[in-house]
Amino acid sequence: MKDLISTVIENREIAENINLIKLHLSEEVGTIHGGHFVNLSTGDNTQLLRRPLGVCKVDGQDVTLCYQIKGKGTKKLKEAKAGDTLKVLLPLGNYFDLSAYKNVAVIGGGVGVFPLIATVRENADKKFFSYIGFRNKNAVCLLEEFEKSEKLTVTTDDGSYGTKGNAVQAFLADEKNIKADVIIACGPPVMLRALKAELTARKIDTPCLVSLEERMGCGIGACLVCVCKTSDGKNARVCKDGPVFNINDVEL
């Protein structure tokens, strides 16, 4: 983990209220995996808290992140231009470890799609079966990153692109056919809760790794803003103990 100055290479809109920002790091930080995240400054010195963003792509010292424009911080981040510098703390958290698996079901929803891209890119020796969901056609982006999947199913809530429905439904319709030996998922809490409920109800015992989305302060486990409940009644810090957990180990 290093706290660095990064230089903005590009910062552009890729979908409705979604931007892609590519940064060049001032020095090497070691291996960054899919599931890792960064804490990125917004470029506004009046905003002390950085924004936690999942890693989307890594090419040497270039790191690509994607973010949804929601509040003051991300609106300010949108203004960053090529050549601007931003402080970044990385890599943070744990990651999707697929070393023991071959056939991988990928379930992504909304901005949860982005951390899954890095995981797919770094595991070229695996077979992926991808189920990617968006709100509507205006939110669809970066599908080319999943085109090497053995199967790619795209859903939208309103049916304006791909299949009408959501990524969890699409996966469940295919589950018996693809014979995945692990499931990886990232998306809004409602999506992950639905996935856990369906896996339990259908008695699907395939290991499932999920990346949780939580509000964060420090990103290193000190402030306890991102605490979640574990299945044994204890607490876990999403930033330090996660963000990737076995779905059966956390309450959703």
Side-chain angles (χ1 to χ4, degrees):
M1 177 180 67
K2 293 185 179 181
D3 197 359
L4 305 177
I5 298 295
S6 65
T7 303
V8 177
I9 298 174
E10 63 174 327
N11 187 17
R12 59 185 173 86
E13 184 178 79
I14 58 172
E16 187 175 63
N17 291 323
I18 300 290
N19 262 42
L20 176 152
I21 187 167
K22 187 174 182 180
L23 307 171
H24 179 72
L25 305 179
S26 57
E27 61 181 88
E28 295 182 356
V29 296
T31 304
I32 303 174
H33 294 288
H36 278 145
F37 70 98
V38 312
N39 251 14
L40 181 66
S41 66
T42 65
D44 184 348
N45 291 331
T46 66
Q47 297 184 19
L48 299 179
L49 293 181
R50 304 184 192 186
R51 272 31 183 192
L53 301 174
V55 173
C56 183
K57 302 179 190 179
V58 182
D59 295 293
Q61 288 176 228
D62 294 343
V63 176
T64 299
L65 315 165
C66 296
Y67 60 97
Q68 184 175 20
I69 300 156
K70 296 179 68 175
K72 291 181 180 180
T74 47
K75 287 178 181 177
K76 181 63 180 178
L77 185 58
K78 184 182 179 181
E79 298 174 7
K81 303 289 193 300
D84 289 350
T85 57
L86 298 171
K87 293 180 180 179
V88 60
L89 182 68
L90 79 168
L92 299 173
N94 60 5
Y95 62 95
F96 289 104
D97 182 358
L98 303 184
S99 57
Y101 307 105
K102 181 178 180 181
N103 298 321
V104 185
V106 179
I107 305 174
V111 295
V113 167
F114 306 131
L116 298 172
I117 290 173
T119 306
V120 170
R121 285 169 62 90
E122 73 173 306
N123 288 279
D125 59 328
K126 313 296 181 184
K127 290 185 177 180
F128 290 98
F129 303 84
S130 301
Y131 305 88
I132 307 300
F134 298 96
R135 184 177 63 259
N136 54 45
K137 64 180 180 180
N138 296 324
V140 176
C141 57
L142 300 184
L143 289 181
E144 66 274 10
E145 297 291 344
F146 297 96
E147 287 179 350
K148 292 184 179 180
S149 300
E150 298 294 308
K151 180 172 185 178
L152 170 59
T153 301
V154 184
T155 70
T156 49
D157 295 343
D158 61 3
S160 57
Y161 188 99
T163 303
K164 185 175 182 179
N166 61 58
V168 173
Q169 293 169 338
F171 161 72
L172 292 171
D174 241 6
E175 183 267 329
K176 292 183 179 179
N177 298 321
I178 63 175
K179 297 180 180 178
D181 47 25
V182 69
I183 302 162
I184 61 172
C186 185
V190 64
M191 185 197 95
L192 299 182
R193 283 195 294 269
L195 175 60
K196 185 174 184 178
E198 289 291 348
L199 293 178
T200 301
R202 297 169 185 243
K203 297 182 179 180
I204 298 172
D205 59 3
T206 305
C208 180
L209 306 176
V210 295
S211 179
L212 303 188
E213 297 177 358
E214 288 287 347
R215 298 184 72 88
M216 295 184 186
C218 67
I220 58 173
C223 70
L224 305 182
V225 169
C226 63
V227 166
C228 70
K229 289 289 185 183
T230 59
S231 300
D232 59 5
K234 298 179 181 179
N235 293 326
R237 300 160 297 178
V238 172
C239 69
K240 187 72 173 179
D241 303 313
V244 177
F245 295 90
N246 185 297
I247 198 169
N248 294 320
D249 292 342
V250 289
E251 294 184 4
L252 298 171

